[in-house]
Amino acid sequence: MVSENFIKKEFTMKLIMTDRPLPLTSAASGGEIRYVDLSSLKIANCVGCFGCWTKTPGRCVIRDDATRVYPLIAESDEVVYVSRLRYGGYDSVMKTMLERAIPVQQAFIRIHNGETHHVQRAVAPKKATIVVYGDYSDEEKDIFRQLVGRNAHNMNFTGYDILFTASDNADGAVEKIVSQWKKY
Amino acid sequence: MEKILILNGSPRAPKSNSKLYAGLFSDYCPRPTDYAAITRNNHLELCAQMEKYTDVLLVFPLYADALPVGLLNFLKSLEKHPPRKKPVISVLINCGFLEAHQNDIAIRMLRLFCRNNGYETGSVLKLGSGEAILQTPFRYVAKRSIRKLAKAVASGRHQDFSATMPLTRKLFLWASTVYWTNYGKKFGITKQEMQRMDIESPDNR
């Protein structure tokens, strides 16, 4: 058991995870800001084997690029996720990665905010900004707000913002957030 | 009698609880059923097949608070390749949490898809505690609700249903801990190992 180390651990990483390339790679990579363009990675669908809970706890049995990403999600205390909106949820690229991130949780259940949820491993409490783009209706936006509210329980968000943007404006929205990070 | 097509949207379709739920639906359904698992490679085939049916039942688990990505991808294919005659779409969703309402967002997504693409939504069954319920004395709760779903779909008198283990959260927490501890034991992993807090390093490949 190494839980004590992780309780004491200070999380200071910031993560930008996007489903399409953003024109800020050089500015954002390295140091405490990490940039992950999921569209450039090979990430298979979760197969629901529960191996990361019951065979190799904390480690996915599929050894593809996702295994480099979920540790970053866990370590970051601020995240920006950029995704196309589809039927009121994340589109396939982002959703595939979020499903592959379950090694950061345990199989075991806890009572959290009055509901049953999985116990988190060493996952930093995090502020999340979700930038979603595409063509969407008010109903889709409403479903997405509800979804992120629920994600907050399961992904250790301490707070979150959702920015609904047109496809062309997503880059600018992220740029603004990164420049704010750099000020502090 | 018109057949009902059951589509399994679970990522582990051959070994899934969704397959067991589909089997129960089939057993209880007064109308004949056909069954298929959604795979990465059979989207077009299934889209074409759907026009032979008046009713389709989607059976799947909740994944990361929403539709599993394999099902999401199938819906995107269905949007591009709609069947000429559109069936009524009913849903049997399950999640591992006690609260069946944790499935609500996935159901909203499916209803939105159906409305935007000209499908009538039929009946819905939301199951909580769906990972383990069939292996417990509470399996009757799941069976009873699936029987009701099957009758509603078969008759066209559509309804929404919701069911879960009749336990308090604290008791569910205890029962689920026993369930997962025994699950790990099958692979020689102790409860303490399953409870480890560390996650592999990003450089560990």
Side-chain angles (χ1 to χ4, degrees):
Chain A
M1 290 284 287
V2 289
S3 55
E4 198 178 323
N5 293 336
F6 281 89
I7 290 165
K8 287 176 183 166
K9 184 170 179 173
E10 282 188 22
F11 298 99
T12 53
M13 190 187 291
K14 299 182 192 320
L15 172 67
I16 301 163
M17 186 163 83
T18 171
D19 68 353
R20 68 179 202 191
L22 297 174
L24 40 78
T25 317
S26 56
S29 296
E32 66 169 24
I33 300 178
R34 303 293 288 266
Y35 167 82
V36 175
D37 170 14
L38 296 171
S39 69
S40 70
L41 304 180
K42 278 196 172 166
I43 298 177
N45 290 1
C46 174
V47 293
C49 69
F50 297 135
C52 59
W53 289 348
T54 59
K55 291 181 189 169
T56 55
R59 183 180 157 93
C60 182
V61 299
I62 306 171
R63 306 310 295 164
D64 64 8
D65 291 335
T67 62
R68 290 192 286 128
V69 181
Y70 60 73
L72 300 178
I73 294 174
E75 281 189 42
S76 301
D77 57 8
E78 286 203 52
V79 295
V80 175
Y81 296 160
V82 183
S83 174
R84 177 177 289 281
L85 191 65
R86 181 74 69 168
Y87 314 139
Y90 301 97
D91 206 346
S92 306
V93 175
M94 181 63 68
K95 186 62 173 31
T96 301
M97 183 58 234
L98 294 177
E99 290 183 6
R100 287 290 305 283
I102 64 163
V104 309
Q105 300 178 338
Q106 297 178 9
F108 298 111
I109 299 286
R110 62 177 171 156
I111 298 171
H112 177 61
N113 293 330
E115 290 179 336
T116 53
H117 292 281
H118 287 287
V119 174
Q120 304 275 319
R121 298 189 198 277
V123 176
K126 56 188 94 268
K127 183 180 179 309
T129 306
I130 318 292
V131 179
V132 275
Y133 64 90
D135 302 317
Y136 40 72
S137 62
D138 285 345
E139 186 182 3
E140 274 185 279
K141 285 165 74 172
D142 190 51
I143 295 172
F144 192 74
R145 283 190 199 102
Q146 211 184 345
L147 172 64
V148 177
R150 191 147 283 292
N151 289 162
H153 297 315
N154 290 317
M155 299 178 183
N156 225 9
F157 297 170
T158 51
Y160 61 86
D161 289 318
I162 305 170
L163 304 177
F164 295 97
T165 69
S167 283
D168 297 344
N169 297 340
D171 302 353
V174 177
E175 199 79 63
K176 221 182 244 179
I177 296 163
V178 173
S179 60
Q180 285 297 317
W181 282 351
K182 289 189 167 177
K183 274 189 192 167
Y184 299 101
Chain B
M1 247 195 288
E2 299 260 22
K3 280 185 174 180
I4 296 167
L5 176 62
I6 304 173
L7 294 180
N8 185 348
S10 169
R12 51 174 180 155
K15 294 179 183 174
S16 61
N17 286 310
S18 295
K19 188 175 180 187
L20 300 176
Y21 293 134
L24 288 169
F25 181 93
S26 197
D27 291 346
Y28 294 134
C29 189
R31 281 163 53 186
T33 59
D34 288 331
Y35 169 87
I38 298 169
T39 68
R40 187 186 291 247
N41 303 316
N42 66 359
H43 291 184
L44 296 185
E45 188 190 317
L46 294 180
C47 293
Q49 222 180 317
M50 280 175 73
E51 67 190 29
K52 297 180 198 152
Y53 297 86
T54 54
D55 290 274
V56 168
L57 177 75
L58 295 174
V59 189
F60 60 93
L62 185 75
Y63 258 55
D65 303 313
L67 308 174
V69 75
L71 177 59
L72 173 65
N73 289 337
F74 173 69
L75 295 180
K76 285 158 71 174
S77 299
L78 190 58
E79 192 161 41
K80 278 191 194 155
H81 305 279
R84 277 171 294 183
K85 208 176 116 223
K86 292 180 176 173
V88 177
I89 295 185
S90 294
V91 181
L92 196 173
I93 182 172
N94 83 88
C95 69
F97 304 119
L98 180 64
E99 303 83 9
H101 71 78
Q102 294 208 36
N103 295 304
D104 285 353
I105 295 165
I107 296 299
R108 279 194 79 187
M109 289 174 174
L110 266 174
R111 287 191 194 280
L112 178 107
F113 171 86
C114 287
R115 206 167 39 252
N116 289 351
N117 290 280
Y119 296 87
E120 188 188 328
T121 314
S123 300
V124 171
L125 169 57
K126 294 177 290 185
L127 266 183
S129 58
E131 168 60 27
I133 195 167
L134 290 179
Q135 296 166 54
T136 71
F138 302 120
R139 69 182 69 85
Y140 74 92
V141 175
K143 287 183 174 179
R144 192 174 56 192
S145 58
I146 293 170
R147 186 185 288 125
K148 286 181 187 169
L149 176 74
K151 283 188 178 165
V153 174
S155 66
R157 288 190 291 274
H158 290 294
Q159 281 189 68
D160 290 355
F161 305 97
S162 179
T164 191
M165 287 186 195
L167 292 178
T168 62
R169 288 191 175 84
K170 276 191 179 168
L171 266 175
F172 178 76
L173 200 146
W174 171 81
S176 65
T177 301
V178 172
Y179 173 83
W180 285 112
T181 303
N182 289 335
Y183 204 117
K185 251 185 216 168
K186 286 188 278 183
F187 305 110
I189 301 294
T190 64
K191 182 180 174 187
Q192 286 70 30
E193 285 170 313
M194 286 173 68
Q195 284 176 316
R196 61 188 298 161
M197 294 300 282
D198 59 321
I199 298 155
E200 68 176 306
S201 147
D203 310 315
N204 245 3
R205 296 180 75 198

